[in-house]
Amino acid sequence: MEQGLEGVKMALKVLKEYYAKEDKSHQAAQGAGEGIIGLLEVVESDFTKGLAEMTATEESAQAAYDAETKENEIEKTTKEQDVK
């Protein structure tokens, strides 16, 4: 996901630089270029949102795993003490 986001940012940079030039060769495609840039901006936004959600989900799952592991260690120690 991070690599995809970087690729979209790079593509946006290249396209914006290209269409910012005062060159007659791409004047006819200016509207199409703006449409593509708009689409890539939406994709960039979606990737950023998705990456943030994935990161939050992973962090939450890691915290839950750590808490469960700690509880299991405490329970195991308590049971071992009861056996003695």
Side-chain angles (χ1 to χ4, degrees):
M1 186 68 102
E2 291 172 358
Q3 291 175 339
L5 181 58
E6 290 303 314
V8 169
K9 286 181 180 181
M10 189 181 313
L12 277 169
K13 179 182 175 200
V14 169
L15 287 172
K16 285 180 180 179
E17 287 174 358
Y18 176 76
Y19 284 106
K21 293 179 184 175
E22 293 296 325
D23 188 3
K24 299 286 183 194
S25 66
H26 67 266
Q27 290 294 340
Q30 187 73 28
E34 290 173 359
I36 292 170
I37 290 172
L39 178 65
L40 286 173
E41 287 173 342
V42 170
V43 169
E44 179 185 24
S45 173
D46 289 348
F47 274 21
T48 301
K49 181 181 175 187
L51 184 59
E53 289 174 357
M54 284 176 28
T55 301
T57 301
E58 287 177 10
E59 289 173 354
S60 176
Q62 183 64 45
Y65 171 79
D66 291 343
E68 185 69 29
T69 301
K70 192 69 166 174
E71 288 176 24
N72 289 342
E73 287 176 14
I74 293 169
E75 188 175 336
K76 179 182 175 187
T77 303
T78 302
K79 288 181 179 182
E80 286 175 349
Q81 293 297 324
D82 289 344
V83 170
K84 292 180 182 179

